[in-house]
Amino acid sequence: MKMLKDKIVFISGASSGIGKACAELFAQAGAKLILCARSVEKVQEIGNALKAQYQTDTLALQLDVQDRKAVDKVVDDLPLQWKKIDILVNNAGLARGLDKLHQGDVADWEAMIDTNVKGLLYLTRKIVPQMLEHKLNGHVINIGSTAGILAYPGGTVYCATKAAVKFISDGLRMDVVDTPIRVTNIQPGMVETNFSVIRFHGDQQKADNVYDGIEPLTADDIADIVVYAASAPAHVQICEVTVTPTHQATGGIVHKEKK
Ligand code: 8X3
C-alpha cells in the first residue's frame, strides 16, 4: 500500500456504497481524497471523518456528473495542491427500473445513460489530459458490472450502459497504451448497497427480495479490489476484474437458498 501514500484519488459517487467504501480504504492507505457527490453534506461528513481517523487530506465537492459544465468547472477550480489527480475512480452510477424495454420509463433510461456513460466520459475526458500533462502514472478505474457482459430481462438499458463502460475502458486502454496510464474495469455482480433501493425507486421490500437467500458482495469487497488494482506496481495493469457472489454465475443465474 506504500504505492498509494499521498496519491490524489478522485472518487465520483463517494457519498455511499462502493464509492464510500473506496474512500475509506484509500484513506487507510494514506491517499488524499477528492470526494464528489450530488450531496455535498454527505461527502463533507465522510471526508471529515476520514481526515480525523487517518490524518489524510480530503476535499469534498458537490458534483452531478450528468452536468458536463459542472464537471469541467469542478476540475478547473481545484485548488493548486489538488490538481495532480493520480487515480480517477469512476464510480457514480445507478440502475433505474426493471421493466421490459417496450414498457420502460424514458426518464429512467436518461438518468442511467447520462450518469453511467456520459458522466463517466465527461470526467475521463477532463482528467486524463491532466494526468498526461503532469506526467503522472495515472490510473482510471471504472466501476462496470456483470450486467455489461450479459444482459438480463428487465435490465436492457442498464446492461447497455455497463457494456458501454466495458468498451470505453477497453478503447481508452488502447488510446493510452503509449503512456503510463492504466485503465481498469471492475465488473461486480450483486453487491448489497442502496443499488436496488434506487433501482426500485425507494421500494425497500423489493430491494430486499433481490438479496434474499443469497449472500451478496459488500461494498468493501469491491473497494478491496479497487485498491488492489491501484496499488499494483506501475508496470502491472489489471485490465478487468469480474467478481460475483459465489452463488451468482451471471446477472441472471443465481442460486438462492430457500428458507
Ligand atoms: C449490478 C449487478 O447483477 O445487480 O451492477 O445487475 S446486477
Side-chain angles (χ1 to χ4, degrees):
M1 297 295 163
K2 257 192 289 176
M3 304 276 309
L4 296 176
K5 179 96 186 90
D6 293 330
K7 294 278 184 207
I8 298 184
V9 184
F10 185 111
I11 305 175
S12 68
S15 58
S16 64
I18 295 172
K20 183 179 171 195
C22 287
E24 166 114 36
L25 284 197
F26 275 116
Q28 226 173 68
K32 300 176 178 176
L33 304 173
I34 303 172
L35 305 175
C36 296
R38 280 179 298 183
S39 160
V40 73
E41 293 80 19
K42 282 192 193 158
V43 275
Q44 199 109 50
E45 200 178 305
I46 293 166
N48 287 341
L50 294 177
K51 209 185 287 185
Q53 191 170 356
Y54 300 107
Q55 288 77 51
T56 193
D57 286 344
T58 62
L59 179 67
L61 299 171
Q62 199 278 330
L63 179 64
D64 182 347
V65 299
Q66 300 178 83
D67 180 345
R68 185 170 63 83
K69 287 197 177 122
V71 168
D72 286 352
K73 188 163 165 32
V74 150
V75 178
D76 286 338
D77 290 354
L78 284 172
L80 206 57
Q81 70 272 28
W82 287 99
K83 283 203 180 291
K84 295 184 179 173
I85 297 167
D86 298 283
I87 300 165
L88 165 62
V89 183
N90 273 314
N91 165 71
L94 78 168
R96 280 262 184 215
L98 197 60
D99 308 303
K100 290 178 188 285
L101 184 87
H102 51 283
Q103 294 162 347
D105 181 336
V106 174
D108 283 349
W109 301 352
E110 281 172 349
M112 291 188 280
I113 293 167
D114 289 351
T115 308
N116 303 3
V117 184
K118 290 167 76 178
L120 176 145
L121 284 170
Y122 297 154
L123 275 172
T124 307
R125 176 67 182 86
K126 190 70 187 166
I127 292 174
V128 168
Q130 305 198 355
M131 290 172 170
L132 291 171
E133 189 191 319
H134 296 302
K135 300 194 177 358
L136 301 169
N137 287 334
H139 197 162
V140 178
I141 302 179
N142 294 328
I143 304 300
S145 169
T146 48
I149 307 170
L150 200 62
Y152 54 79
T156 309
V157 175
Y158 176 68
C159 294
T161 65
K162 291 299 183 175
V165 172
K166 176 186 163 43
F167 282 101
I168 291 165
S169 308
D170 290 348
L172 175 63
R173 199 175 300 112
M174 295 171 196
D175 292 338
V176 295
V177 72
D178 56 346
T179 79
I181 293 183
R182 300 182 290 178
V183 182
T184 299
N185 181 27
I186 313 237
Q187 307 183 114
M190 297 164 83
V191 184
E192 190 164 16
T193 58
N194 59 2
F195 175 85
S196 290
V197 181
I198 291 172
R199 161 167 268 174
F200 296 120
H201 298 271
D203 187 329
Q204 187 68 50
Q205 188 55 51
K206 270 193 182 169
D208 289 346
N209 290 344
V210 173
Y211 309 108
D212 214 24
I214 183 169
E215 184 176 349
L217 299 169
T218 65
D220 285 338
D221 293 327
I222 309 309
D224 267 338
I225 298 169
V226 169
V227 169
Y228 173 79
S231 51
H235 70 287
V236 178
Q237 173 171 233
I238 313 278
C239 297
E240 197 167 88
V241 179
T242 301
V243 52
T244 62
T246 303
H247 291 304
Q248 179 181 26
T250 69
I253 301 184
V254 173
H255 171 74
K256 291 193 166 194
E257 291 293 334
K258 292 203 174 60
K259 287 197 175 151

